[in-house]
Amino acid sequence: MLVGHIQEITRHPVKSFTGEQVQKTKVMDYGLYGDRSHAFKGKNGKFLTITQVPEMVRYQAVFSGEEALDQYPEIQVKTPSGNVLTWGEGAFQEEMERLLKQEAEPAVYHPAHIPLGAIEEENILLVSDASIGELTKLWGKELDGRRFRQNLIISLVNKTPFLEEQWFGKRILIGNEVELEIKRHCERCMIITVDPSDSHRDPSLLKTVVKERENHFGVYASVMQTGEIRVGDEVFLKD
C-alpha cells in the first residue's frame, strides 16, 4: 500500500553538528551513508553532544564529494561565523578546542560499518510531515524541523498525524530497493529544546512533547535491505 513519498533526506556527518539535506544517498546496514560517522569523545570515553555543548548545533557538516565505500569524501564544516573548515586540519582542530573547552578525542568510523553506539538508538529515525504540522499546532510556535535530527521526512498520502506510529513491527519499502522495519517510538530529550539557528534553549517544546505525546516524537527503524534512496521515492507499507 502506498503511504507516502520521501520529502527530505538528512544525514549528519558529524554527531551533534547540524546535518545536510541530500537528494539521494546510499542506505547501509547501519543507516544512511556516513550518518554520525565522525564524532568527539570526552575523557570518560562517552560522546560529546548537544546535551553537554549546545553550541555544537551551530556548526554544519557536509560531505564534499561522491560517496565511496573505501573512504569518506572530505568533510567541510561551516562555523557560526561563516568560515568553512576541513575536518582534521589545524584550523579545524583549533576551532574545536575553543568550542568544546575540554580534552576531546575525534572518533571516525569506516564507511562500511558505523557501530550502533555512534547513532545510539537505531539505524534510522523518521517522522512524517503531518506529525511535524500537528506538533507545530500543539506547541503554538514556528517549528524548525532540524531540532528533531531525523533522517527521513515522509510526506503522507493520508495526512493523519502520527500515522507512522501505527507501523510498529511492519516494514516499509522505499523506492525499488530499500526496506526498513519500523521498531518503536523515539523518546525525546533536551536536545530538541536547542534552537539550531542560535543554540538558545526553549524548554517549552520538550514540555509540550511530554504532555501531549508522552515524550514521543518520530519512530526508529532498522535497515532490512540496503540500496539507494532519493527524494520523491514512493514509500509502501508491506502487508
Side-chain angles (χ1 to χ4, degrees):
M1 178 177 66
L2 178 68
V3 293
H5 300 78
I6 297 298
Q7 178 175 305
E8 287 183 10
I9 302 172
T10 304
R11 64 186 175 198
H12 305 82
V14 180
K15 185 177 179 67
S16 276
F17 285 11
T18 289
E20 59 172 336
Q21 290 186 18
V22 296
Q23 291 299 302
K24 65 176 182 178
T25 189
K26 296 181 181 69
V27 175
M28 312 291 287
D29 59 3
Y30 57 76
L32 301 189
Y33 174 90
D35 191 42
R36 280 83 166 188
S37 57
H38 296 63
F40 292 96
K41 290 185 176 182
K43 289 191 296 184
N44 60 4
K46 295 183 178 181
F47 293 110
L48 294 175
T49 71
I50 298 167
T51 302
Q52 298 90 21
V53 189
E55 294 80 8
M56 291 179 78
V57 77
R58 300 183 65 200
Y59 290 74
Q60 182 181 27
V62 303
F63 285 120
S64 179
E66 295 295 318
E67 297 175 359
L69 298 180
D70 56 341
Q71 64 178 16
Y72 294 110
E74 188 175 77
I75 291 182
Q76 299 289 319
V77 176
K78 186 176 181 179
T79 72
S81 63
N83 292 330
V84 178
L85 307 176
T86 300
W87 174 280
E89 292 188 347
F92 174 76
Q93 298 291 84
E94 292 174 6
E95 182 75 18
M96 291 303 99
E97 289 176 7
R98 287 193 292 270
L99 169 67
L100 301 174
K101 297 181 177 66
Q102 60 183 286
E103 289 185 29
E105 185 73 23
V108 180
Y109 300 97
H110 195 274
H113 179 67
I114 298 175
L116 191 60
I119 304 173
E120 294 194 29
E121 293 289 345
E122 225 359 296
N123 301 146
I124 285 177
L125 174 61
L126 63 88
V127 301
S128 72
D129 58 344
S131 298
I132 292 175
E134 182 65 16
L135 185 56
T136 300
K137 294 177 183 177
L138 293 171
W139 190 34
K141 300 181 184 181
E142 185 176 350
L143 189 59
D144 186 334
R146 294 178 300 170
R147 289 176 181 266
F148 303 108
R149 306 188 68 78
Q150 73 280 333
N151 298 119
L152 303 177
I153 296 180
I154 298 177
S155 177
L156 295 174
V157 173
N158 175 357
K159 300 297 186 183
T160 300
F162 315 113
L163 182 66
E164 58 271 27
E165 295 178 359
Q166 298 179 22
W167 302 343
F168 294 149
K170 298 180 180 180
R171 296 188 181 187
I172 58 173
L173 178 66
I174 303 175
N176 298 318
E177 299 177 324
V178 173
E179 193 170 304
L180 308 178
E181 183 172 309
I182 309 301
K183 305 296 284 191
R184 63 187 185 280
H185 293 286
C186 174
E187 294 187 4
R188 291 299 175 169
C189 66
M190 65 74 61
I191 285 177
I192 68 171
T193 71
V194 180
D195 188 331
S197 299
D198 56 19
S199 73
H200 291 166
R201 292 186 58 187
D202 187 341
S204 68
L205 178 56
L206 183 58
K207 290 178 181 177
T208 298
V209 175
V210 170
K211 178 182 177 182
E212 303 290 346
R213 298 292 309 145
E214 297 182 348
N215 202 28
H216 297 150
F217 188 75
V219 297
Y220 285 119
S222 294
V223 175
M224 310 306 293
Q225 178 65 45
T226 60
E228 187 173 85
I229 58 173
R230 297 173 178 267
V231 170
D233 274 352
E234 294 179 323
V235 180
F236 293 91
L237 183 65
K238 299 187 70 174
D239 295 332

